[in-house]
Amino acid sequence: MPLDAFAASLFKRPMQTLGMAVGHGVRCLSQLAELPELHQMMRQTCRDYAQKELAPIAAQLDKDHKFPAKQVKELGAMGVMAVEVPESLGGAGMDYLAYCLAVEELSRGCASTGVIVSVNNSLYLGPILKFGTEEQKKQWITPFTTGERVGCFALSEPGNGSDAGAASTLAQQEGDEWVLSGTKAWITNCWDASATVVFATTDKSLKHKGISAFLVPMPHPGLSLGKKEDKLGIRASSTANIILEDCHIPLGNMLGERGMGFKIAMQTLDSGRLGIAAQALGIAQAALDCAADYAHKRTAFGAPIGKLQAIQFKLADMALAIESARLLTWRAAMLRDAKKPFTKEAAMAKLAASEAATFVSHQAIQVLGGMGYVTDMPAERHYRDARITEIYEGTSEIQRLVIANNILKEYQQ
Amino acid sequence: MHRSSEVKHVASYLNTRGCECFGQPCESHCPVLTDRTIHVQLKTFIKIRVKPDRTGVVTDGVKHSMNPFCEIAVEEAIKLKEKKLVKEVVAVSCGPQQVQETIRTALAMGADRGIHVEVSGKDYETLGPLQVSKIFAALAKKEQADLIILGKQAIDDDCNQTGQMTAALLDWPQGTFASEMTLEADKLKVVREVDGGLETIKIKLPAVVTADLRLNTPRYATLPNIMKAKKKKIANVKPADLGVDVCSRLEVLKVDEPPQRQAGVKVETVDDLVGKLKEAGRV
């Protein structure tokens, strides 16, 4: 049975009682076998949107490095730009599993749109939702739920990515204002954003305990953007430096307590990790779609190449890699929704999904042969889009450290 | 109703069970009927196959979704409600358990409640426009509907009969192939797409309208609406409860794939062409 029909048959009947349990916030592993009806509907809606509105324009968006403003607004109207935000603040009020499903389906259509949605949800709205005051939530969340505005997350610097604790961007208090100065690097969405969460240190001697988080509107005096990076992939999303020179913001713009910045960053990334895992799954799935379709159509040696074992083994390995990573992602999301510890599982999910994306897109080009190397087919774009997933929001190496630390803790005497 | 499977359609679609939609305005409520038609999502992966016994096409394991013309009908009904010209939109579908999914899609788009008319097994396989229109007519009377909006035809059997039959059974006026409809007091102005062009008619309510392609562009369900759809009610009804006999008066003799396309022949001159056409008995 064709792969997608097989996957579809797994979700044919909704589990009604489980759906009710889901409504009460209870999660269980059998949910991995069949998603609740609500989630299935949501997934289908996002899939339809991605197929009809994103997939047809993805190649052109990539070529033009163009931000999909119209689509982001439409997604905002659907509630996808603020999935977890409660309805009272303008969001969709759904859970993280629903969010991961949305990002995967959208990324299957266009990986850049997927990351734009993910950064807005997890990295910008996430920390404000968790650590913001009621006032801050009204000011910095509600306008960013409609798709009219997007936010970004400024942690990395030219001198430190993985070494987040060594932030050198400074925040000095001058009267009733904070003055920020320094440079942030690799900030996704920044050329299209209307606000950012910036991490700066108020006391370098305290090392990571001296870092605090701040909310800065964009544009703002003292904040300027570096040149748009010319990237290998996800080109429709903008990436650049954020340069802070004598940037004044009110004291009320600090997010959380002083010195809490590192903790906020790490917790935010734990969740953001799952958004990226979902994006990687979407890219991988799109690459598999492309390869499997080609295997049916392309004939060589007198038959469709799908009949050849070499191709079959590849497709099997690709599907296995995706499905394994998907289940890890769903499990981590469900643990998070149940308010259980999920750091190790999230790291595993992101690692598995991003490595699956690079593996699957690599093999997809191989299945397509010469056609995989040209822009006529989307395989080359998936290959380029996939590569970044092993790097941002925690490199694969960092994920391994996180997993290892958790394992060692579990086995501590 | 002879069930012929047209392969050009079959590439995208499977079975059809009369897709109809009702919309309703004014004091009463009008059921919006949506049908479950089998729509193959991934055309490239799933090939439509005729069943070995040639009684129909294979439907097992194929994803079902709302008929596109029904989506347009649901959208129109919801638009009327948003303009406050309609009090309640009710989505109706006839079929087995799976059609509840389709009804929920209509609820997620904005319909207020759903009615699932249970028809399954052999009855479902032989369900056609006549039985469906009888069910709709009965429901319309029961629910005291004022307006029924259906898709003009289902994309699997292309019957294009249910709307017309429903209007006849109820003795209501009908505006079919609507590309535009405007409610003006108790009259409905309908612009119909016909072969000769566009025809504008005014019909009195209660009435039946069937939606054509250009009537509107259906919305994507928003996440909050999908959540709300869970709480909306879907009532279960049996055809017998409505006094309708779903027994079919038609028997499908056979279902075949269209003949394979023959290769063409190139000719040098017009005379050759005419000669060949005469040979083939075409002129």
Side-chain angles (χ1 to χ4, degrees):
Chain A
M1 202 194 282
L3 291 156
D4 258 274
F6 173 68
S9 69
L10 285 177
F11 308 123
K12 239 203 270 192
R13 278 197 327 111
M15 289 172 77
Q16 301 280 26
T17 49
L18 195 57
M20 279 163 52
V22 161
H24 292 118
V26 175
R27 306 281 174 214
C28 64
L29 282 177
S30 57
Q31 203 173 321
L32 288 173
E34 274 190 30
L35 290 169
E37 194 187 341
L38 192 70
H39 293 74
Q40 285 185 47
M41 285 182 69
M42 204 228 70
R43 193 184 197 199
Q44 192 58 51
T45 303
C46 290
R47 186 175 292 184
D48 288 340
Y49 185 86
Q51 270 181 13
K52 290 193 197 125
E53 311 285 342
L54 295 177
I57 59 167
Q60 199 57 44
L61 287 176
D62 171 76
K63 242 187 221 136
D64 299 337
H65 296 238
K66 186 171 170 234
F67 181 78
K70 172 168 175 277
Q71 285 71 24
V72 167
K73 282 204 192 91
E74 286 170 358
L75 289 169
M78 282 166 69
V80 172
M81 293 305 288
V83 180
E84 234 197 347
V85 172
E87 282 191 71
S88 56
L89 287 168
M94 291 184 85
D95 58 19
Y96 219 65
L97 178 60
Y99 161 66
C100 289
L101 293 167
V103 173
E104 182 187 336
E105 294 302 330
L106 294 174
S107 302
R108 191 177 178 183
C110 171
S112 302
T113 309
V115 77
I116 292 166
V117 171
S118 177
V119 166
N120 196 56
N121 270 282
S122 293
L123 298 187
Y124 174 72
L125 295 172
I128 305 174
L129 202 57
K130 194 158 182 201
F131 299 98
T133 63
E134 286 315 305
E135 260 316 299
Q136 285 174 333
K137 285 183 195 171
K138 280 204 203 94
Q139 188 188 348
W140 301 91
I141 290 188
T142 308
F144 292 78
T145 59
T146 60
E148 298 278 329
R149 293 164 185 240
V150 295
C152 61
F153 180 83
L155 175 65
S156 293
E157 295 174 356
N160 47 270
S162 296
D163 189 8
S168 61
T169 303
L170 287 173
Q172 285 159 317
Q173 189 170 348
E174 274 176 27
D176 59 352
E177 284 183 324
W178 287 108
V179 182
L180 306 174
S181 55
T183 312
K184 291 296 187 183
W186 312 119
I187 312 305
T188 305
N189 278 356
C190 71
W191 271 90
D192 310 289
S194 302
T196 176
V197 178
V198 178
F199 294 85
T201 181
T202 46
D203 188 343
K204 270 220 101 165
S205 66
L206 293 174
K207 301 220 177 118
H208 66 271
K209 293 215 174 92
I211 300 174
S212 304
F214 301 90
L215 297 163
V216 185
M218 289 162 79
H220 194 71
L223 186 152
S224 58
L225 300 174
K227 75 160 178 47
K228 247 196 232 187
E229 301 291 350
D230 186 8
K231 307 191 293 289
L232 177 65
I234 54 160
R235 288 165 153 175
S237 89
S238 56
T239 308
N241 286 1
I242 289 181
I243 302 144
L244 300 156
E245 286 172 302
D246 209 31
C247 179
H248 291 243
I249 51 169
L251 281 183
N253 280 30
M254 177 177 272
L255 183 65
E257 304 292 316
R258 185 174 178 144
M260 224 187 181
F262 188 75
K263 178 175 145 195
I264 294 176
M266 291 303 108
Q267 286 191 20
T268 303
L269 288 172
D270 266 352
S271 298
R273 211 143 276 177
L274 290 175
I276 296 307
Q279 184 207 17
L281 288 174
I283 298 170
Q285 187 64 52
L288 177 61
D289 293 344
C290 185
D293 184 52
Y294 196 77
H296 272 296
K297 295 189 174 136
R298 169 74 176 173
T299 54
F301 301 99
I305 59 173
K307 296 267 185 226
L308 301 167
Q309 282 188 339
I311 301 294
Q312 290 182 358
F313 287 166
K314 281 192 202 297
L315 293 175
D317 289 336
M318 287 154 83
L320 176 61
I322 298 174
E323 200 58 35
S324 318
R326 186 175 285 140
L327 291 177
L328 275 170
T329 307
W330 288 4
R331 177 146 182 270
M334 281 157 45
L335 285 169
R336 185 187 184 282
D337 286 331
K339 306 218 191 309
K340 297 226 164 77
F342 68 101
T343 305
K344 180 184 78 171
E345 287 77 7
M348 287 176 150
K350 201 257 183 186
L351 180 59
S354 53
E355 293 194 340
T358 47
F359 168 72
V360 172
S361 54
H362 179 108
Q363 291 302 324
I365 293 187
Q366 199 65 15
V367 169
L368 265 64
M371 280 310 287
Y373 205 65
V374 295
T375 53
D376 301 45
M377 294 293 270
E380 59 82 28
R381 190 181 80 244
H382 300 321
Y383 185 73
R384 291 186 288 107
D385 286 339
R387 195 58 189 85
I388 189 64
T389 60
E390 285 199 52
I391 298 173
Y392 61 11
E393 279 190 59
T395 58
S396 296
E397 290 68 34
I398 291 290
Q399 304 306 335
R400 289 185 162 90
L401 290 180
V402 171
I403 298 167
N405 278 330
N406 276 278
I407 301 281
L408 289 169
K409 255 191 239 154
E410 284 169 27
Y411 283 87
Q412 193 127 46
Q413 298 302 329
Chain B
M1 168 184 63
H2 176 60
R3 188 137 311 163
S4 68
S5 106
E6 304 160 71
V7 173
K8 66 166 163 60
H9 277 340
V10 161
S12 304
Y13 321 121
L14 278 187
N15 256 330
T16 174
R17 291 296 165 209
C19 150
E20 3 279 353
C21 308
F22 286 162
Q24 182 131 56
C26 309
E27 286 89 57
S28 311
H29 21 248
C30 165
V32 173
L33 275 165
T34 62
D35 184 53
R36 173 206 86 145
T37 54
I38 303 163
H39 175 96
V40 177
Q41 296 285 12
L42 302 162
K43 303 172 212 179
T44 52
F45 292 157
I46 301 173
K47 193 174 178 345
I48 303 339
R49 287 166 301 151
V50 175
K51 283 200 272 204
D53 61 5
R54 292 158 96 206
T55 54
V57 292
V58 177
T59 60
D60 282 339
V62 180
K63 196 173 190 309
H64 294 28
S65 66
M66 199 190 293
N67 187 46
F69 294 115
C70 292
E71 263 179 11
I72 295 173
V74 172
E75 174 66 26
E76 197 61 24
I78 294 165
K79 274 204 166 100
L80 286 172
K81 187 170 148 215
E82 283 172 348
K83 287 188 200 147
K84 301 223 197 318
L85 297 168
V86 179
K87 206 172 111 181
E88 196 187 24
V89 173
V90 183
V92 184
S93 190
C94 309
Q97 192 61 21
Q98 288 107 294
V99 306
Q100 293 218 3
E101 229 176 277
T102 309
I103 299 176
R104 264 202 216 288
T105 309
L107 295 176
M109 284 171 73
D112 296 298
R113 61 186 167 91
I115 300 177
H116 170 206
V117 182
E118 271 190 68
V119 182
S120 44
K122 257 278 133 217
D123 283 340
Y124 184 62
E125 280 176 37
T126 56
L127 192 68
L130 182 57
Q131 301 101 305
V132 175
S133 49
K134 283 183 186 168
I135 292 172
F136 286 5
L139 266 175
K141 287 199 193 113
K142 182 162 172 259
E143 296 281 335
Q144 292 183 297
D146 287 308
L147 175 61
I148 298 175
I149 312 180
L150 298 77
K152 70 169 181 182
Q153 65 197 56
I155 57 177
D156 46 18
D157 66 11
D158 288 318
C159 282
N160 186 354
Q161 296 169 7
T162 311
Q164 293 86 336
M165 284 179 176
T166 309
L169 287 168
L170 287 165
D171 198 22
W172 286 6
Q174 57 183 268
T176 53
F177 312 110
S179 63
E180 212 183 298
M181 62 180 252
T182 331
L183 196 57
E184 292 165 1
D186 68 334
K187 287 212 183 61
L188 200 57
K189 187 174 97 177
V190 181
V191 178
R192 308 177 57 229
E193 283 195 22
V194 296
D195 286 344
L198 296 172
E199 181 193 51
T200 308
I201 59 170
K202 263 209 181 123
I203 52 178
K204 257 188 162 167
L205 293 174
V208 175
V209 172
T210 72
D212 208 330
L213 193 64
R214 278 160 278 275
L215 183 58
N216 60 49
T217 307
R219 65 193 62 193
Y220 290 99
T222 65
L223 267 47
N225 277 344
I226 291 174
M227 298 248 303
K228 289 193 189 118
K230 259 215 98 59
K231 302 191 189 110
K232 293 179 184 172
K233 286 200 164 47
I234 299 180
N236 277 321
V237 175
K238 288 201 171 50
D241 300 338
L242 301 166
V244 174
D245 167 25
V246 289
C247 183
S248 177
R249 271 71 165 164
L250 301 168
E251 187 196 329
V252 173
L253 296 177
K254 68 172 162 82
V255 175
D256 274 327
E257 291 201 12
Q260 291 283 12
R261 206 188 138 95
Q262 299 293 331
V265 175
K266 262 187 161 165
V267 291
E268 296 294 308
T269 69
V270 175
D271 287 330
D272 282 347
L273 176 63
V274 176
K276 279 243 184 285
L277 286 170
K278 280 196 175 145
E279 256 176 61
R282 303 287 189 178
V283 290

